[in-house]
């Protein structure tokens, strides 16, 4: 085996095969919007799961099976100060979970 083949084999074994998590938005979120595809106007995806706290406030929203949505996927981070920031996912993601002030996608 050549040196480069051995290095590649070792690196392949060291890299985890599980999904990685991405936190695209900064703190102080008021909400997120997930945009699917390149259509104009853009298509937005509604959460497929949602749970509330006993007082009726939002506990968590989730988007699952996103690999089947029209690509590319973008996430618009809406902040409490009124600013918005858009993040484009370069690699496929399968789910995003939003809890007030925080979002994780993997």
């Amino acid at each position: 085996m050549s040196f480069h083949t051995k290095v590649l084999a070792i690196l392949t074994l060291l890299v985890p095969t599980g999904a990685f998590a991405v936190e695209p938005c900064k703190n102080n979120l008021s909400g997120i919007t997930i945009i699917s595809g390149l259509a104009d106007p853009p298509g937005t995806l509604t959460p497929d799961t949602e749970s509330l706290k006993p007082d009726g406030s939002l506990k968590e929203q989730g988007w699952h099976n996103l690999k089947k949505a029209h690509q590319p996927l973008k996430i618009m981070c809406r902040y409490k100060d009124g600013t918005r920031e858009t993040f484009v996912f370069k690699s496929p993601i399968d789910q995003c979970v939003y809890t007030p002030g925080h979002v994780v996608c993997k």
Side-chain angles (χ1 to χ4, degrees):
M1 231 192 273
S2 74
F3 172 76
H4 295 297
T5 306
K6 289 179 185 177
V7 170
L8 182 61
I10 291 170
L11 288 176
T12 303
L13 293 173
L14 293 177
V15 174
T17 58
F20 63 94
V22 176
E23 295 184 44
C25 302
K26 301 172 191 156
N27 292 333
N28 209 20
L29 276 177
S30 65
I32 64 168
T33 302
I34 297 181
I35 301 166
S36 172
L38 299 172
D40 187 19
T44 58
L45 301 175
T46 56
D48 56 4
T49 60
E50 183 174 278
S51 59
L52 303 174
K53 295 178 184 174
D55 66 359
S57 62
L58 180 66
K59 181 178 181 181
E60 182 177 275
Q61 287 180 323
W63 293 258
H64 301 85
N65 208 16
L66 293 173
K67 288 183 180 177
K68 292 188 177 183
H70 292 283
Q71 302 296 320
L73 288 179
K74 300 176 201 167
I75 186 167
M76 180 187 298
C77 307
R78 300 187 317 270
Y79 298 101
K80 293 179 181 175
D81 66 0
T83 60
R84 294 173 181 217
E85 182 178 47
T86 302
F87 177 83
V88 179
F89 291 104
K90 302 280 187 217
S91 59
I93 58 165
D94 197 41
Q95 68 179 2
C96 283
V97 176
Y98 169 75
T99 54
H102 187 74
V103 65
V104 175
C105 299
K106 54 182 173 177

